[in-house]
Amino acid sequence: MSKPVVAIGADLLPGPRRERAFTDLTYVAALRNAGVLPLLLPPQAEDIDDLIGKIDGIVLAGGADVDPELYGETRHPSVKPMDARRQASELALAKRARAAGIPTLGICLGMQTMAVAAGGKLIQDIPSSFEDALTHTTSESGSRARHQVRVEEGTRLAAILGARTLDVNS
């Protein structure tokens, strides 16, 4: 029996001579530890329809920000949009995966991409929008704060985890 294939949306890194598509190896290791064959997917919105029937799941990883113009808002000064090619590819991937019922895990930016792909809007700058906002980084080094999230009862995730709350990093 072959392993399930899970595509990981790649980020882009400009270089002095060539651009590179990449992902954090922690995502790859986590998928391999789960018995999955990870597939790094460089931005290629034009190929999403051909790809969608060949994968069993998707991970949309973290990164910069979704461009607020996509949901009809003017960009807050703190927003740093992701590369337009990655954005087009991951929005197309999120939309097609949702329509096809392909399990998709959004991590930070990935969850924001899924929300916008489903017609949602985002709060662009939480600290300036909420007085008592959770601090998402704990130091100048960028390490992440931890906090509790509630798992919605009756969902597939609740059935898998058997938990009502989780301790997660932001």
Side-chain angles (χ1 to χ4, degrees):
M1 178 186 267
S2 62
K3 295 179 181 180
V5 176
V6 174
I8 306 170
D11 203 348
L12 295 170
L13 179 67
R17 294 190 333 226
R18 287 181 236 163
E19 291 180 293
R20 291 175 170 82
F22 74 96
T23 194
D24 292 336
L25 289 177
T26 52
Y27 299 142
V28 173
L31 290 170
R32 290 187 71 220
N33 288 339
V36 168
L37 179 64
L39 173 68
L40 184 62
L41 180 63
Q44 52 191 40
E46 64 279 4
D47 295 325
I48 298 302
D49 286 337
D50 292 328
L51 175 74
I52 210 76
K54 296 174 176 66
I55 57 176
D56 302 296
I58 299 165
V59 173
L60 297 177
D65 297 311
V66 174
D67 190 337
E69 290 181 8
L70 290 173
Y71 48 93
E73 292 186 8
T74 303
R75 187 181 305 162
H76 185 277
S78 68
V79 171
K80 293 173 180 56
M82 70 176 116
D83 183 283
R85 295 164 296 175
R86 178 183 180 193
Q87 181 170 269
S89 184
E90 292 200 358
L91 282 168
L93 190 57
K95 287 176 184 177
R96 289 288 287 122
R98 186 169 190 239
I102 296 173
T104 305
L105 173 64
I107 301 170
C108 197
L109 168 64
M111 184 58 73
Q112 295 170 28
T113 300
M114 292 167 65
V116 172
K121 293 184 175 197
L122 304 173
I123 297 169
Q124 295 181 47
D125 187 66
I126 293 172
S128 66
S129 299
F130 296 95
E131 222 174 87
D132 58 348
L134 172 72
T135 300
H136 286 80
T137 55
T138 57
S139 68
E140 290 299 316
S141 69
S143 62
R144 302 295 184 180
R146 297 193 69 78
H147 62 93
Q148 294 279 310
V149 294
R150 180 178 50 87
V151 178
E152 190 70 31
E153 193 172 342
T155 63
R156 187 173 180 187
L157 182 60
I160 292 168
L161 297 175
R164 295 281 296 141
T165 60
L166 294 172
D167 186 47
V168 300
N169 67 319
S170 291

